PDB file of all heavy atoms in Angstrom:
ATOM      1  N   THR A 109      32.738 -75.706  -6.728  1.00  0.00           N
ATOM      2  CA  THR A 109      33.110 -75.233  -8.068  1.00  0.00           C
ATOM      3  C   THR A 109      31.886 -74.870  -8.904  1.00  0.00           C
ATOM      4  O   THR A 109      32.034 -74.371 -10.015  1.00  0.00           O
ATOM      5  CB  THR A 109      33.885 -76.322  -8.848  1.00  0.00           C
ATOM      6  OG1 THR A 109      33.090 -77.516  -8.852  1.00  0.00           O
ATOM      7  CG2 THR A 109      35.240 -76.595  -8.237  1.00  0.00           C
ATOM      8  N   LEU A 110      30.696 -75.131  -8.394  1.00  0.00           N
ATOM      9  CA  LEU A 110      29.513 -74.872  -9.223  1.00  0.00           C
ATOM     10  C   LEU A 110      29.259 -73.360  -9.310  1.00  0.00           C
ATOM     11  O   LEU A 110      29.195 -72.676  -8.296  1.00  0.00           O
ATOM     12  CB  LEU A 110      28.287 -75.589  -8.627  1.00  0.00           C
ATOM     13  CG  LEU A 110      27.090 -75.732  -9.556  1.00  0.00           C
ATOM     14  CD1 LEU A 110      27.443 -76.577 -10.780  1.00  0.00           C
ATOM     15  CD2 LEU A 110      25.896 -76.373  -8.838  1.00  0.00           C
ATOM     16  N   ASP A 111      29.150 -72.853 -10.546  1.00  0.00           N
ATOM     17  CA  ASP A 111      28.853 -71.424 -10.740  1.00  0.00           C
ATOM     18  C   ASP A 111      27.351 -71.183 -10.713  1.00  0.00           C
ATOM     19  O   ASP A 111      26.870 -70.223 -10.125  1.00  0.00           O
ATOM     20  CB  ASP A 111      29.373 -70.941 -12.107  1.00  0.00           C
ATOM     21  CG  ASP A 111      30.881 -71.002 -12.216  1.00  0.00           C
ATOM     22  OD1 ASP A 111      31.549 -70.515 -11.290  1.00  0.00           O
ATOM     23  OD2 ASP A 111      31.374 -71.551 -13.224  1.00  0.00           O
ATOM     24  N   LEU A 112      26.609 -72.030 -11.444  1.00  0.00           N
ATOM     25  CA  LEU A 112      25.181 -71.776 -11.645  1.00  0.00           C
ATOM     26  C   LEU A 112      24.356 -73.033 -11.417  1.00  0.00           C
ATOM     27  O   LEU A 112      24.664 -74.088 -11.968  1.00  0.00           O
ATOM     28  CB  LEU A 112      24.939 -71.331 -13.097  1.00  0.00           C
ATOM     29  CG  LEU A 112      25.585 -70.034 -13.542  1.00  0.00           C
ATOM     30  CD1 LEU A 112      25.961 -70.112 -15.016  1.00  0.00           C
ATOM     31  CD2 LEU A 112      24.634 -68.870 -13.306  1.00  0.00           C
ATOM     32  N   LEU A 113      23.313 -72.905 -10.621  1.00  0.00           N
ATOM     33  CA  LEU A 113      22.382 -74.020 -10.442  1.00  0.00           C
ATOM     34  C   LEU A 113      20.993 -73.537 -10.850  1.00  0.00           C
ATOM     35  O   LEU A 113      20.424 -72.634 -10.230  1.00  0.00           O
ATOM     36  CB  LEU A 113      22.362 -74.485  -8.979  1.00  0.00           C
ATOM     37  CG  LEU A 113      21.406 -75.649  -8.696  1.00  0.00           C
ATOM     38  CD1 LEU A 113      21.827 -76.917  -9.440  1.00  0.00           C
ATOM     39  CD2 LEU A 113      21.345 -75.947  -7.183  1.00  0.00           C
ATOM     40  N   TYR A 114      20.465 -74.110 -11.944  1.00  0.00           N
ATOM     41  CA  TYR A 114      19.140 -73.701 -12.437  1.00  0.00           C
ATOM     42  C   TYR A 114      18.064 -74.557 -11.787  1.00  0.00           C
ATOM     43  O   TYR A 114      18.179 -75.788 -11.787  1.00  0.00           O
ATOM     44  CB  TYR A 114      19.066 -73.868 -13.968  1.00  0.00           C
ATOM     45  CG  TYR A 114      19.852 -72.819 -14.712  1.00  0.00           C
ATOM     46  CD1 TYR A 114      21.230 -72.921 -14.850  1.00  0.00           C
ATOM     47  CD2 TYR A 114      19.206 -71.715 -15.270  1.00  0.00           C
ATOM     48  CE1 TYR A 114      21.952 -71.952 -15.531  1.00  0.00           C
ATOM     49  CE2 TYR A 114      19.921 -70.741 -15.951  1.00  0.00           C
ATOM     50  CZ  TYR A 114      21.296 -70.862 -16.081  1.00  0.00           C
ATOM     51  OH  TYR A 114      21.997 -69.900 -16.749  1.00  0.00           O
ATOM     52  N   ILE A 115      17.057 -73.899 -11.255  1.00  0.00           N
ATOM     53  CA  ILE A 115      15.946 -74.660 -10.674  1.00  0.00           C
ATOM     54  C   ILE A 115      14.614 -74.052 -11.113  1.00  0.00           C
ATOM     55  O   ILE A 115      14.555 -72.906 -11.565  1.00  0.00           O
ATOM     56  CB  ILE A 115      15.989 -74.680  -9.121  1.00  0.00           C
ATOM     57  CG1 ILE A 115      15.871 -73.251  -8.568  1.00  0.00           C
ATOM     58  CG2 ILE A 115      17.237 -75.363  -8.597  1.00  0.00           C
ATOM     59  CD1 ILE A 115      15.537 -73.209  -7.093  1.00  0.00           C
ATOM     60  N   SER A 116      13.553 -74.839 -10.958  1.00  0.00           N
ATOM     61  CA  SER A 116      12.223 -74.317 -11.295  1.00  0.00           C
ATOM     62  C   SER A 116      11.638 -73.666 -10.044  1.00  0.00           C
ATOM     63  O   SER A 116      12.063 -73.964  -8.931  1.00  0.00           O
ATOM     64  CB  SER A 116      11.339 -75.464 -11.754  1.00  0.00           C
ATOM     65  OG  SER A 116      11.222 -76.374 -10.684  1.00  0.00           O
ATOM     66  N   PRO A 117      10.661 -72.777 -10.214  1.00  0.00           N
ATOM     67  CA  PRO A 117      10.123 -72.072  -9.047  1.00  0.00           C
ATOM     68  C   PRO A 117       9.460 -72.992  -8.022  1.00  0.00           C
ATOM     69  O   PRO A 117       9.505 -72.710  -6.832  1.00  0.00           O
ATOM     70  CB  PRO A 117       9.109 -71.106  -9.648  1.00  0.00           C
ATOM     71  CG  PRO A 117       8.849 -71.590 -11.015  1.00  0.00           C
ATOM     72  CD  PRO A 117      10.054 -72.310 -11.456  1.00  0.00           C
ATOM     73  N   GLU A 118       8.872 -74.094  -8.495  1.00  0.00           N
ATOM     74  CA  GLU A 118       8.165 -74.919  -7.500  1.00  0.00           C
ATOM     75  C   GLU A 118       9.099 -75.581  -6.497  1.00  0.00           C
ATOM     76  O   GLU A 118       8.673 -75.979  -5.434  1.00  0.00           O
ATOM     77  CB  GLU A 118       7.216 -75.951  -8.140  1.00  0.00           C
ATOM     78  CG  GLU A 118       7.844 -76.926  -9.081  1.00  0.00           C
ATOM     79  CD  GLU A 118       7.681 -76.450 -10.524  1.00  0.00           C
ATOM     80  OE1 GLU A 118       7.795 -75.234 -10.746  1.00  0.00           O
ATOM     81  OE2 GLU A 118       7.452 -77.293 -11.414  1.00  0.00           O
ATOM     82  N   ARG A 119      10.391 -75.640  -6.820  1.00  0.00           N
ATOM     83  CA  ARG A 119      11.352 -76.164  -5.844  1.00  0.00           C
ATOM     84  C   ARG A 119      11.284 -75.348  -4.556  1.00  0.00           C
ATOM     85  O   ARG A 119      11.611 -75.834  -3.485  1.00  0.00           O
ATOM     86  CB  ARG A 119      12.782 -76.076  -6.375  1.00  0.00           C
ATOM     87  CG  ARG A 119      13.065 -76.987  -7.499  1.00  0.00           C
ATOM     88  CD  ARG A 119      13.439 -78.377  -7.022  1.00  0.00           C
ATOM     89  NE  ARG A 119      12.986 -79.310  -8.029  1.00  0.00           N
ATOM     90  CZ  ARG A 119      12.842 -80.600  -7.868  1.00  0.00           C
ATOM     91  NH1 ARG A 119      13.123 -81.156  -6.706  1.00  0.00           N
ATOM     92  NH2 ARG A 119      12.416 -81.352  -8.838  1.00  0.00           N
ATOM     93  N   PHE A 120      10.910 -74.094  -4.727  1.00  0.00           N
ATOM     94  CA  PHE A 120      10.867 -73.222  -3.561  1.00  0.00           C
ATOM     95  C   PHE A 120       9.785 -73.596  -2.578  1.00  0.00           C
ATOM     96  O   PHE A 120       9.777 -73.145  -1.440  1.00  0.00           O
ATOM     97  CB  PHE A 120      10.723 -71.760  -3.998  1.00  0.00           C
ATOM     98  CG  PHE A 120      11.982 -71.042  -3.779  1.00  0.00           C
ATOM     99  CD1 PHE A 120      12.969 -71.078  -4.733  1.00  0.00           C
ATOM    100  CD2 PHE A 120      12.231 -70.408  -2.572  1.00  0.00           C
ATOM    101  CE1 PHE A 120      14.182 -70.481  -4.500  1.00  0.00           C
ATOM    102  CE2 PHE A 120      13.438 -69.812  -2.338  1.00  0.00           C
ATOM    103  CZ  PHE A 120      14.420 -69.850  -3.304  1.00  0.00           C
ATOM    104  N   ASN A 121       8.844 -74.377  -3.027  1.00  0.00           N
ATOM    105  CA  ASN A 121       7.792 -74.810  -2.111  1.00  0.00           C
ATOM    106  C   ASN A 121       8.144 -76.121  -1.442  1.00  0.00           C
ATOM    107  O   ASN A 121       7.393 -76.624  -0.628  1.00  0.00           O
ATOM    108  CB  ASN A 121       6.460 -74.938  -2.844  1.00  0.00           C
ATOM    109  CG  ASN A 121       5.686 -73.650  -2.735  1.00  0.00           C
ATOM    110  OD1 ASN A 121       5.963 -72.836  -1.856  1.00  0.00           O
ATOM    111  ND2 ASN A 121       4.731 -73.460  -3.621  1.00  0.00           N
ATOM    112  N   SER A 122       9.301 -76.655  -1.781  1.00  0.00           N
ATOM    113  CA  SER A 122       9.717 -77.904  -1.158  1.00  0.00           C
ATOM    114  C   SER A 122      10.623 -77.570   0.032  1.00  0.00           C
ATOM    115  O   SER A 122      11.735 -77.074  -0.131  1.00  0.00           O
ATOM    116  CB  SER A 122      10.438 -78.764  -2.202  1.00  0.00           C
ATOM    117  OG  SER A 122      11.495 -79.457  -1.604  1.00  0.00           O
ATOM    118  N   GLU A 123      10.097 -77.845   1.231  1.00  0.00           N
ATOM    119  CA  GLU A 123      10.837 -77.493   2.457  1.00  0.00           C
ATOM    120  C   GLU A 123      12.184 -78.202   2.476  1.00  0.00           C
ATOM    121  O   GLU A 123      13.193 -77.635   2.859  1.00  0.00           O
ATOM    122  CB  GLU A 123      10.047 -77.886   3.705  1.00  0.00           C
ATOM    123  CG  GLU A 123       8.709 -77.160   3.828  1.00  0.00           C
ATOM    124  CD  GLU A 123       8.851 -75.647   3.791  1.00  0.00           C
ATOM    125  OE1 GLU A 123       9.842 -75.119   4.337  1.00  0.00           O
ATOM    126  OE2 GLU A 123       7.969 -74.988   3.185  1.00  0.00           O
ATOM    127  N   HIS A 124      12.145 -79.437   2.025  1.00  0.00           N
ATOM    128  CA  HIS A 124      13.351 -80.234   2.040  1.00  0.00           C
ATOM    129  C   HIS A 124      14.449 -79.553   1.215  1.00  0.00           C
ATOM    130  O   HIS A 124      15.592 -79.398   1.651  1.00  0.00           O
ATOM    131  CB  HIS A 124      13.027 -81.622   1.472  1.00  0.00           C
ATOM    132  CG  HIS A 124      14.217 -82.509   1.373  1.00  0.00           C
ATOM    133  ND1 HIS A 124      14.857 -82.999   2.487  1.00  0.00           N
ATOM    134  CD2 HIS A 124      14.907 -82.966   0.303  1.00  0.00           C
ATOM    135  CE1 HIS A 124      15.884 -83.731   2.101  1.00  0.00           C
ATOM    136  NE2 HIS A 124      15.938 -83.728   0.781  1.00  0.00           N
ATOM    137  N   PHE A 125      14.039 -79.094   0.017  1.00  0.00           N
ATOM    138  CA  PHE A 125      15.004 -78.457  -0.875  1.00  0.00           C
ATOM    139  C   PHE A 125      15.515 -77.143  -0.266  1.00  0.00           C
ATOM    140  O   PHE A 125      16.706 -76.843  -0.311  1.00  0.00           O
ATOM    141  CB  PHE A 125      14.367 -78.220  -2.244  1.00  0.00           C
ATOM    142  CG  PHE A 125      15.327 -77.674  -3.246  1.00  0.00           C
ATOM    143  CD1 PHE A 125      16.231 -78.510  -3.885  1.00  0.00           C
ATOM    144  CD2 PHE A 125      15.354 -76.320  -3.545  1.00  0.00           C
ATOM    145  CE1 PHE A 125      17.146 -77.997  -4.803  1.00  0.00           C
ATOM    146  CE2 PHE A 125      16.265 -75.811  -4.461  1.00  0.00           C
ATOM    147  CZ  PHE A 125      17.156 -76.654  -5.089  1.00  0.00           C
ATOM    148  N   LEU A 126      14.605 -76.376   0.335  1.00  0.00           N
ATOM    149  CA  LEU A 126      14.995 -75.098   0.942  1.00  0.00           C
ATOM    150  C   LEU A 126      16.042 -75.304   2.036  1.00  0.00           C
ATOM    151  O   LEU A 126      17.029 -74.564   2.116  1.00  0.00           O
ATOM    152  CB  LEU A 126      13.771 -74.418   1.559  1.00  0.00           C
ATOM    153  CG  LEU A 126      12.912 -73.566   0.635  1.00  0.00           C
ATOM    154  CD1 LEU A 126      11.929 -72.748   1.456  1.00  0.00           C
ATOM    155  CD2 LEU A 126      13.792 -72.631  -0.187  1.00  0.00           C
ATOM    156  N   GLU A 127      15.797 -76.308   2.863  1.00  0.00           N
ATOM    157  CA  GLU A 127      16.744 -76.578   3.950  1.00  0.00           C
ATOM    158  C   GLU A 127      18.114 -76.925   3.387  1.00  0.00           C
ATOM    159  O   GLU A 127      19.138 -76.488   3.882  1.00  0.00           O
ATOM    160  CB  GLU A 127      16.245 -77.731   4.851  1.00  0.00           C
ATOM    161  CG  GLU A 127      15.011 -77.355   5.681  1.00  0.00           C
ATOM    162  CD  GLU A 127      15.143 -75.984   6.347  1.00  0.00           C
ATOM    163  OE1 GLU A 127      16.192 -75.722   6.969  1.00  0.00           O
ATOM    164  OE2 GLU A 127      14.203 -75.162   6.224  1.00  0.00           O
ATOM    165  N   ARG A 128      18.089 -77.686   2.283  1.00  0.00           N
ATOM    166  CA  ARG A 128      19.340 -78.075   1.638  1.00  0.00           C
ATOM    167  C   ARG A 128      20.051 -76.822   1.098  1.00  0.00           C
ATOM    168  O   ARG A 128      21.248 -76.657   1.275  1.00  0.00           O
ATOM    169  CB  ARG A 128      18.995 -79.056   0.505  1.00  0.00           C
ATOM    170  CG  ARG A 128      20.137 -79.599  -0.272  1.00  0.00           C
ATOM    171  CD  ARG A 128      20.677 -80.887   0.366  1.00  0.00           C
ATOM    172  NE  ARG A 128      21.802 -81.406  -0.423  1.00  0.00           N
ATOM    173  CZ  ARG A 128      23.041 -80.932  -0.360  1.00  0.00           C
ATOM    174  NH1 ARG A 128      23.330 -79.964   0.454  1.00  0.00           N
ATOM    175  NH2 ARG A 128      24.001 -81.458  -1.126  1.00  0.00           N
ATOM    176  N   LEU A 129      19.265 -75.946   0.470  1.00  0.00           N
ATOM    177  CA  LEU A 129      19.850 -74.712  -0.093  1.00  0.00           C
ATOM    178  C   LEU A 129      20.526 -73.883   0.994  1.00  0.00           C
ATOM    179  O   LEU A 129      21.566 -73.265   0.772  1.00  0.00           O
ATOM    180  CB  LEU A 129      18.757 -73.852  -0.729  1.00  0.00           C
ATOM    181  CG  LEU A 129      18.460 -73.959  -2.220  1.00  0.00           C
ATOM    182  CD1 LEU A 129      17.556 -72.812  -2.646  1.00  0.00           C
ATOM    183  CD2 LEU A 129      19.737 -73.940  -3.061  1.00  0.00           C
ATOM    184  N   LYS A 130      19.904 -73.894   2.185  1.00  0.00           N
ATOM    185  CA  LYS A 130      20.433 -73.056   3.266  1.00  0.00           C
ATOM    186  C   LYS A 130      21.803 -73.509   3.753  1.00  0.00           C
ATOM    187  O   LYS A 130      22.514 -72.743   4.383  1.00  0.00           O
ATOM    188  CB  LYS A 130      19.442 -73.031   4.437  1.00  0.00           C
ATOM    189  CG  LYS A 130      18.250 -72.136   4.147  1.00  0.00           C
ATOM    190  CD  LYS A 130      17.309 -72.081   5.309  1.00  0.00           C
ATOM    191  CE  LYS A 130      16.063 -71.333   4.878  1.00  0.00           C
ATOM    192  NZ  LYS A 130      14.931 -71.585   5.768  1.00  0.00           N
ATOM    193  N   THR A 131      22.138 -74.756   3.448  1.00  0.00           N
ATOM    194  CA  THR A 131      23.453 -75.238   3.886  1.00  0.00           C
ATOM    195  C   THR A 131      24.547 -74.876   2.880  1.00  0.00           C
ATOM    196  O   THR A 131      25.717 -75.119   3.111  1.00  0.00           O
ATOM    197  CB  THR A 131      23.448 -76.778   4.049  1.00  0.00           C
ATOM    198  OG1 THR A 131      23.243 -77.347   2.740  1.00  0.00           O
ATOM    199  CG2 THR A 131      22.346 -77.241   4.980  1.00  0.00           C
ATOM    200  N   LEU A 132      24.125 -74.298   1.732  1.00  0.00           N
ATOM    201  CA  LEU A 132      25.115 -74.032   0.678  1.00  0.00           C
ATOM    202  C   LEU A 132      25.657 -72.610   0.762  1.00  0.00           C
ATOM    203  O   LEU A 132      25.036 -71.714   1.341  1.00  0.00           O
ATOM    204  CB  LEU A 132      24.474 -74.220  -0.706  1.00  0.00           C
ATOM    205  CG  LEU A 132      23.860 -75.579  -1.011  1.00  0.00           C
ATOM    206  CD1 LEU A 132      23.224 -75.556  -2.397  1.00  0.00           C
ATOM    207  CD2 LEU A 132      24.934 -76.663  -0.944  1.00  0.00           C
ATOM    208  N   ASN A 133      26.797 -72.436   0.135  1.00  0.00           N
ATOM    209  CA  ASN A 133      27.369 -71.101   0.026  1.00  0.00           C
ATOM    210  C   ASN A 133      26.775 -70.455  -1.236  1.00  0.00           C
ATOM    211  O   ASN A 133      27.193 -70.755  -2.343  1.00  0.00           O
ATOM    212  CB  ASN A 133      28.895 -71.260  -0.061  1.00  0.00           C
ATOM    213  CG  ASN A 133      29.582 -69.942  -0.336  1.00  0.00           C
ATOM    214  OD1 ASN A 133      28.998 -68.882  -0.113  1.00  0.00           O
ATOM    215  ND2 ASN A 133      30.815 -70.005  -0.815  1.00  0.00           N
ATOM    216  N   LEU A 134      25.774 -69.595  -1.057  1.00  0.00           N
ATOM    217  CA  LEU A 134      25.075 -69.007  -2.213  1.00  0.00           C
ATOM    218  C   LEU A 134      25.656 -67.633  -2.537  1.00  0.00           C
ATOM    219  O   LEU A 134      25.830 -66.811  -1.645  1.00  0.00           O
ATOM    220  CB  LEU A 134      23.582 -68.854  -1.909  1.00  0.00           C
ATOM    221  CG  LEU A 134      22.792 -70.115  -1.529  1.00  0.00           C
ATOM    222  CD1 LEU A 134      21.319 -69.781  -1.348  1.00  0.00           C
ATOM    223  CD2 LEU A 134      22.964 -71.193  -2.591  1.00  0.00           C
ATOM    224  N   SER A 135      25.939 -67.397  -3.817  1.00  0.00           N
ATOM    225  CA  SER A 135      26.431 -66.056  -4.183  1.00  0.00           C
ATOM    226  C   SER A 135      25.256 -65.095  -4.329  1.00  0.00           C
ATOM    227  O   SER A 135      25.229 -64.033  -3.738  1.00  0.00           O
ATOM    228  CB  SER A 135      27.253 -66.117  -5.465  1.00  0.00           C
ATOM    229  OG  SER A 135      26.518 -66.737  -6.506  1.00  0.00           O
ATOM    230  N   PHE A 136      24.253 -65.471  -5.113  1.00  0.00           N
ATOM    231  CA  PHE A 136      23.031 -64.666  -5.241  1.00  0.00           C
ATOM    232  C   PHE A 136      21.968 -65.476  -5.958  1.00  0.00           C
ATOM    233  O   PHE A 136      22.257 -66.554  -6.498  1.00  0.00           O
ATOM    234  CB  PHE A 136      23.297 -63.338  -5.966  1.00  0.00           C
ATOM    235  CG  PHE A 136      23.722 -63.464  -7.404  1.00  0.00           C
ATOM    236  CD1 PHE A 136      22.821 -63.256  -8.449  1.00  0.00           C
ATOM    237  CD2 PHE A 136      25.044 -63.759  -7.750  1.00  0.00           C
ATOM    238  CE1 PHE A 136      23.217 -63.370  -9.779  1.00  0.00           C
ATOM    239  CE2 PHE A 136      25.444 -63.871  -9.080  1.00  0.00           C
ATOM    240  CZ  PHE A 136      24.528 -63.676 -10.092  1.00  0.00           C
ATOM    241  N   PHE A 137      20.736 -64.956  -5.937  1.00  0.00           N
ATOM    242  CA  PHE A 137      19.650 -65.579  -6.698  1.00  0.00           C
ATOM    243  C   PHE A 137      19.455 -64.782  -7.978  1.00  0.00           C
ATOM    244  O   PHE A 137      19.427 -63.544  -7.937  1.00  0.00           O
ATOM    245  CB  PHE A 137      18.324 -65.525  -5.927  1.00  0.00           C
ATOM    246  CG  PHE A 137      18.231 -66.518  -4.809  1.00  0.00           C
ATOM    247  CD1 PHE A 137      18.383 -66.110  -3.490  1.00  0.00           C
ATOM    248  CD2 PHE A 137      17.989 -67.858  -5.073  1.00  0.00           C
ATOM    249  CE1 PHE A 137      18.292 -67.023  -2.452  1.00  0.00           C
ATOM    250  CE2 PHE A 137      17.892 -68.783  -4.042  1.00  0.00           C
ATOM    251  CZ  PHE A 137      18.046 -68.359  -2.720  1.00  0.00           C
TER     252      PHE A 137
END
Side-chain angles (χ1 to χ4, degrees):
T109 54
L110 196 62
D111 295 311
L112 297 147
L113 180 64
Y114 286 80
I115 62 165
S116 62
E118 58 263 39
R119 291 276 149 196
F120 252 85
N121 267 341
S122 143
E123 298 305 323
H124 177 68
F125 185 79
L126 275 192
E127 291 314 312
R128 181 89 180 79
L129 266 192
K130 284 182 188 162
T131 65
L132 302 178
N133 173 19
L134 302 183
S135 54
F136 65 101
F137 284 104

